[in-house]
Amino acid sequence: MKEKIIERANELFLNLGFKSVTMDDLASEMGISKKTIYAHFQNKTKLVEATTDYLFCTICDGIDTILEEKKEPIEELYAIKAFLIEHLKDEKTSPQYQLQKYYPKIHDILKKKQFEVMQECVIENLQRGIEKGVFRTGIDVEITSRLYFIGMMGIKDQDMFPVQRYPMSKLMADYLEYHVRGIATEKGLHILNKLINQ
């Protein structure tokens, strides 16, 4: 039952936002009593914590599966982007922003975990791209990976990019293209243009 509650809460939070969904909403959506939810989660904060953990692990597993395929580095970045867009339901409510606003402690822990995982993944991707001649040899891998992370977090800022004007799928696509164009060689640009035109 605990897993079912987490899965359903995850869907509701992604679609409606962490702030909007109440324990009553979740209970009525699942056709169970609030008491059943509280038997597994002390309060809403504990549920939000469990849900963000669940989503983080699901996304990490999906990304690991893509990394195991050892695709060409630029294709790999686009495969990860497609997976994230599919999984995050296009972030209609910008859950990351709501998490930061209403659950700052959970947000900070999650951001730290995301950075650690993403840093490793991006550095590996950059190094492989340099070896394969699709990324420029002169780039500082450490700095570039951090710039990429900051940008990915930055496009989720609702004050800068209101979700009504800038759909997350478009922002992610534009930002990824911006990132790759900044570090690609001629060979890399050829691959990038092919992927964009598909």
Side-chain angles (χ1 to χ4, degrees), residues 157-172:
D157 183 334
Q158 279 277 281
D159 295 326
M160 291 299 289
F161 300 105
V163 78
Q164 299 78 9
R165 263 184 75 193
Y166 304 99
M168 189 48 67
S169 52
K170 178 167 170 33
L171 274 176
M172 282 176 86

Side-chain angles (χ1 to χ4, degrees), residues 168-192:
M168 189 48 67
S169 52
K170 178 167 170 33
L171 274 176
M172 282 176 86
D174 287 355
Y175 179 63
L176 182 54
E177 182 183 345
Y178 173 80
H179 166 71
V180 175
R181 283 199 188 280
I183 58 174
T185 58
E186 280 301 318
K187 184 181 171 185
L189 288 173
H190 178 71
I191 294 165
L192 175 68

Side-chain angles (χ1 to χ4, degrees), residues 2-193:
K2 190 175 184 175
E3 282 71 28
K4 281 182 182 167
I5 294 169
I6 291 172
E7 283 172 27
R8 193 70 189 107
N10 180 56
E11 273 178 48
L12 291 171
F13 288 148
L14 284 181
N15 285 315
L16 306 168
F18 288 103
K19 177 77 173 143
S20 320
V21 180
T22 65
M23 295 299 237
D24 283 315
D25 295 333
L26 180 59
S28 103
E29 271 289 322
M30 292 188 71
I32 58 174
S33 71
K34 225 164 47 165
K35 201 175 166 186
T36 307
I37 299 171
Y38 284 117
H40 297 283
F41 303 98
Q42 196 181 340
N43 51 41
K44 188 178 170 185
T45 304
K46 291 288 179 199
L47 177 62
V48 169
E49 215 169 71
T51 307
T52 53
D53 268 352
Y54 164 80
L55 186 59
F56 177 75
C57 292
T58 305
I59 286 171
C60 284
D61 290 347
I63 291 172
D64 284 345
T65 304
I66 294 166
L67 298 179
E68 280 162 20
E69 292 170 18
K70 290 284 176 219
K71 292 177 185 290
E72 183 282 320
I74 297 172
E75 283 176 10
E76 183 177 271
L77 289 172
Y78 272 81
I80 290 170
K81 177 197 67 110
F83 169 77
L84 289 174
I85 287 171
E86 182 193 323
H87 240 82
L88 297 173
K89 318 270 192 252
D90 200 23
E91 296 201 347
K92 295 177 197 71
T93 56
S94 192
Q96 189 99 18
Y97 182 75
Q98 286 199 7
L99 197 63
Q100 185 176 6
K101 195 171 176 183
Y102 302 108
Y103 300 93
K105 275 186 185 161
I106 297 172
H107 173 268
D108 292 347
I109 292 165
L110 183 66
K111 187 178 172 182
K112 199 175 170 203
K113 280 172 26 181
Q114 283 173 328
F115 174 70
E116 284 162 10
V117 169
M118 200 167 152
Q119 181 78 338
E120 194 180 312
C121 168
V122 174
I123 285 175
E124 197 275 333
N125 179 276
L126 290 167
Q127 287 168 339
R128 225 158 25 88
I130 292 166
E131 280 163 28
K132 289 183 176 288
V134 295
F135 296 149
R136 290 183 288 110
T137 50
I139 60 171
D140 185 316
V141 169
E142 192 72 33
I143 290 174
T144 305
S145 68
R146 286 169 184 263
L147 286 171
Y148 185 64
F149 180 77
I150 285 172
M152 284 300 277
M153 292 293 116
I155 62 173
K156 293 176 180 186
D157 183 334
Q158 279 277 281
D159 295 326
M160 291 299 289
F161 300 105
V163 78
Q164 299 78 9
R165 263 184 75 193
Y166 304 99
M168 189 48 67
S169 52
K170 178 167 170 33
L171 274 176
M172 282 176 86
D174 287 355
Y175 179 63
L176 182 54
E177 182 183 345
Y178 173 80
H179 166 71
V180 175
R181 283 199 188 280
I183 58 174
T185 58
E186 280 301 318
K187 184 181 171 185
L189 288 173
H190 178 71
I191 294 165
L192 175 68
N193 292 329

